[in-house]
Amino acid sequence: MNEPILEVQHLKTYFYLGTDMTTELRAVDDLSYTLHKGECMAIIGESGSGKSVSALSILRLVSYPPGLIVGGKILFHGQDLMEMDDEEIMKIRGSKISMIFQEPSSALNPVVTVGKQIVENLLRHTSISKEDAWKRAVELLDEVGIPNPEQRVNQYPFEFSGGMQQRSMIAMAMSCNPEILICDEPTTALDVTVQAQVLEQLDKLRETHDTALIFITHNLGVVARYADTVKIMYGGKVIEDGPTDAIFHVPHHPYTLGLIQAVPRLDLPRSHGLHTIPGEPPDMSKIPENCCAFAPRCKYATEECRTKRPQPETVGEGHHCSCFHMDLLEDERNEVVRSHG
Ligand code: SF4
């Protein structure tokens, strides 16, 4: 593996809620990882598990009140983004580290043409001339597969379909050849055929520019196809992480196993029904310090799980899991992995 470009160390991002702001919600609680050039890392979890907040924290886009990064380091090529002033972080945001948001229609400016939005990003972060920036905008739209880019560059976002809006977001995010591209559920709002095209586009861009991708998603199919490594988040913490193959073939955490079981199967009769994880995601402001956050939904939970917090243990090469009773999972795991191929 090459040199790490991003090292997140013990990141903690909390929200302070209520009229007197005394309710503490630990959206991201002690997150650490390393990202390498050209790597695709997926962060998986239910809504509210902290995955999007962890991405926004990297770009320092969490605003106070109510959100605050209360601890940790975010090292980009060894430089701590947390210690940079606004001007320094602005130079990195959109040029070295870019982000694609879930809803392109709300991320794009509706009263500025798509081309002008790309050109503005290029002029802000590079020394390119205005004329060359417009040529580059046309090239970028062409690269992401938008037909008639010379004409489309002068159109407004509302004149684009959802898929084309998302592709223009990718073009904009890639305009300065970023080293890291954070994709926050980039295909959730798209239909399946357009989803596949956008994902292939992102993968191609990773290959051609060696860009590292952080993929935030709840779509395990996407993860299995594109990610090199996976982090499973629950209640603001990573509860299992490792190489993609290991996560899918030897999952150690009951929650990971539940996510795999919940993937719909086309080969089973309708009578088989869909598997769900019982219960609800936890209220993040009410997770006690000394317990496993998954305990209320876990069929393997014991008294130990309700009174102590499990710590990450190494279970394979680069594979870690936080659970007291991983051994109890073995039979169920073998059965699930066998039936899901
Ligand atoms: Fe379930 Fe206990 Fe493991 Fe938590 S620590 S996932 S409650 S078995």
Side-chain angles (χ1 to χ4, degrees):
M1 198 58 94
N2 49 37
E3 286 279 294
I5 49 176
L6 182 73
E7 290 169 85
V8 175
Q9 299 176 351
H10 307 291
L11 177 67
K12 294 182 180 186
T13 308
Y14 295 176
F15 286 78
Y16 295 92
L17 308 174
T19 43
D20 50 2
M21 294 178 67
T22 52
T23 305
E24 188 178 74
L25 187 153
R26 298 175 181 187
V28 176
D29 198 9
D30 203 7
L31 175 69
S32 298
Y33 62 80
T34 303
L35 185 73
H36 300 82
K37 204 171 178 175
E39 177 182 345
C40 179
M41 184 184 86
I43 303 181
I44 303 176
E46 290 165 311
S47 299
S49 60
K51 52 193 196 311
S52 293
V53 176
S54 72
L56 292 171
S57 303
I58 294 169
L59 286 170
R60 298 238 316 258
L61 288 173
V62 176
S63 50
Y64 181 81
L68 192 63
I69 299 175
V70 297
K73 289 183 176 187
I74 303 168
L75 304 175
F76 178 61
H77 289 295
Q79 259 192 303
D80 194 351
L81 300 184
M82 294 297 301
E83 286 175 3
M84 290 185 180
D85 61 29
D86 287 351
E87 202 180 317
E88 287 171 315
I89 197 78
M90 284 287 280
K91 282 186 189 154
I92 287 184
R93 214 184 272 157
S95 62
K96 308 267 186 221
I97 307 177
S98 284
M99 185 155 176
I100 301 172
F101 295 92
Q102 188 178 145
E103 272 292 344
S105 53
S106 46
L108 289 165
N109 187 334
V111 294
V112 178
T113 63
V114 169
K116 194 165 181 213
Q117 295 186 55
I118 298 173
V119 167
E120 279 174 358
N121 199 43
L122 282 163
L123 295 178
R124 189 178 305 127
H125 294 293
T126 67
S127 51
I128 196 170
S129 70
K130 205 168 178 181
E131 194 186 343
D132 285 344
W134 277 99
K135 281 188 198 154
R136 183 73 191 120
V138 172
E139 279 170 15
L140 282 160
L141 291 183
D142 190 33
E143 277 175 32
V144 296
I146 292 190
N148 305 321
E150 296 85 358
Q151 183 198 333
R152 289 286 186 181
V153 78
N154 294 311
Q155 292 185 327
Y156 291 89
F158 73 84
E159 297 176 88
F160 281 43
S161 67
M164 284 204 290
Q165 286 179 357
Q166 193 57 292
R167 284 184 216 201
S168 11
M169 283 288 299
I170 296 172
M172 202 178 304
M174 294 300 295
S175 59
C176 300
N177 292 335
E179 293 181 57
I180 301 172
L181 184 57
I182 302 171
C183 310
D184 187 3
E185 307 208 17
T187 57
T188 302
L190 307 176
D191 66 57
V192 281
T193 47
V194 180
Q195 268 185 21
Q197 290 165 7
V198 169
L199 290 166
E200 285 299 321
Q201 202 62 54
L202 285 168
D203 203 42
K204 199 166 129 202
L205 290 168
R206 166 163 84 125
E207 259 179 38
T208 39
H209 298 281
D210 223 359
T211 306
L213 299 181
I214 298 178
F215 230 99
I216 295 164
T217 183
H218 48 76
N219 186 332
L220 292 197
V222 169
V223 175
R225 168 77 179 81
Y226 297 99
D228 301 308
T229 54
V230 182
K231 306 239 167 296
I232 312 274
M233 285 192 78
Y234 192 84
K237 285 186 177 292
V238 171
I239 45 98
E240 183 162 9
D241 70 292
T244 306
D245 268 0
I247 295 292
F248 281 96
H249 292 118
V250 251
H252 276 67
H253 198 282
Y255 178 62
T256 312
L257 197 64
L259 289 177
I260 294 171
Q261 283 173 291
V263 174
R265 299 265 308 271
L266 297 177
D267 57 325
L268 293 176
R270 281 189 191 188
S271 56
H272 193 269
L274 291 172
H275 178 88
T276 54
I277 299 174
E280 301 285 330
D283 179 338
M284 304 276 278
S285 62
K286 291 187 181 145
I287 301 177
E289 262 296 298
N290 293 323
C291 78
C292 169
F294 191 58
R297 306 172 72 184
C298 181
K299 64 181 170 192
Y300 299 105
T302 61
E303 198 46 35
E304 184 180 23
C305 310
R306 295 182 195 98
T307 49
K308 282 204 298 201
R309 174 154 287 187
Q311 298 301 316
E313 282 178 40
T314 301
V315 293
E317 198 177 335
H319 187 180
H320 312 94
C321 178
S322 306
C323 172
F324 291 121
H325 304 304
M326 296 178 237
D327 49 322
L328 298 180
L329 223 69
E330 197 168 340
D331 288 346
E332 191 183 357
R333 173 174 65 221
N334 291 342
E335 171 58 25
V336 170
V337 171
R338 190 190 53 72
S339 62
H340 278 69

